[in-house]
Amino acid sequence: MDPAEFGGQQHPSPEDTTPRFAFLGRSNVGKSSLLNALMNQSLAVTSKQPGRTQKVHYYGWVASENTHDCMERVHAYFVDLPGYGYAVGPDEAVEEWQRRTQQFLLRAPLTRLFLLQDARVGPQAFDQTVQGWLEEAEIAFTIVLTKSDGARRMADIIKHVNQICMRYHHRQQIDDTLSQSPFVYVTSAKHGAGLDELWSAIESELSF
């Protein structure tokens, strides 16, 4: 998959069965920056102000049907979801768009949900709450650590990965139909670390 082949624009909500890869995380976790790095284009809006993404945005990966024509079709969508937790805005508006996110996750036919967490601080209480909700709703998810370039020490990142894995194994002993994937991806949108591995994970769920 070539990240340079994103359509360069947002798409309306698709009505077909095209694969959808959704990205969710705490406000200001670096979700939009990671999406832009994956797509190799500045499509998702980034900001130092938490909660800028307040709607569901679709970005389509397109490729020519063959080398002899210019027909293009979307092979997959990246779905940028509103962040959870702290965000700037009226409380009612914040609660409303987060409620809509939950409704989206319950209804949308997702191929994979990537749950983003900050590698500098590891999973927070709100992250744990969201993970619990996803498990109750039986929504499969894979954890991606972002902003690894900002961690003080590699040992801190390893600690956070181990914390996630320990939670996984503990939950697995309770429920053998666990929604959480055993894989954890450590990424940096700034330096490109972990993006190839994340692309490989995405490609593994596509059939051409």
Side-chain angles (χ1 to χ4, degrees):
M1 184 180 293
D2 183 355
E5 292 179 326
F6 272 83
Q9 61 182 356
Q10 294 181 27
H11 290 254
S13 176
E15 297 181 356
D16 57 17
T17 58
T18 301
R20 298 160 173 78
F21 297 91
F23 293 77
L24 176 68
R26 186 163 46 85
S27 297
N28 213 27
V29 75
K31 175 167 49 66
S32 296
S33 295
L34 178 64
L35 278 168
N36 286 334
L38 280 170
M39 297 184 293
N40 198 28
Q41 296 184 39
S42 297
L43 300 180
V45 178
T46 62
S47 173
K48 292 183 178 179
Q49 185 181 62
R52 284 298 302 274
T53 303
Q54 300 181 13
K55 297 180 180 179
V56 176
H57 298 290
Y58 292 87
Y59 303 99
W61 175 68
V62 299
S64 297
E65 291 293 332
N66 57 63
T67 58
H68 303 293
D69 61 39
C70 297
M71 293 295 293
E72 293 181 335
R73 69 181 178 90
V74 175
H75 282 299
Y77 290 100
F78 278 9
V79 188
D80 188 4
L81 296 174
Y84 56 79
Y86 174 76
V88 174
D91 291 343
E92 295 81 2
V94 172
E95 292 176 359
E96 173 62 18
W97 82 63
Q98 292 183 358
R99 182 184 63 80
R100 290 200 305 268
T101 300
Q102 288 185 331
Q103 291 179 341
F104 171 87
L105 290 171
L106 290 171
R107 298 173 182 173
L110 296 179
T111 305
R112 172 64 53 182
L113 172 66
F114 291 106
L115 183 62
L116 277 52
Q117 298 178 0
D118 194 327
R120 301 171 301 176
V121 298
Q124 303 294 289
F126 214 138
D127 296 320
Q128 301 278 10
T129 299
V130 171
Q131 287 178 235
W133 181 85
L134 291 172
E135 289 168 349
E136 289 180 6
E138 298 182 347
I139 298 172
F141 64 94
T142 298
I143 293 179
V144 178
L145 295 180
T146 61
K147 301 184 179 182
S148 64
D149 56 279
R152 292 184 302 172
R153 303 175 303 165
M154 179 57 67
D156 293 332
I157 296 178
I158 295 174
K159 175 184 176 182
H160 299 324
V161 171
N162 286 340
Q163 183 179 355
I164 294 167
C165 291
M166 287 176 63
R167 181 188 186 280
Y168 170 83
H169 289 296
H170 173 71
R171 296 287 300 176
Q172 190 180 44
Q173 293 174 357
I174 302 173
D175 184 1
D176 58 5
T177 60
L178 191 63
S179 298
Q180 178 181 335
S181 165
F183 297 100
V184 180
Y185 296 93
V186 180
T187 66
S188 166
K190 184 177 181 180
H191 295 154
L195 299 188
D196 288 343
E197 292 79 4
L198 193 52
W199 267 116
S200 295
I202 292 169
E203 287 185 298
S204 69
E205 302 205 48
L206 293 175
S207 58
F208 296 95

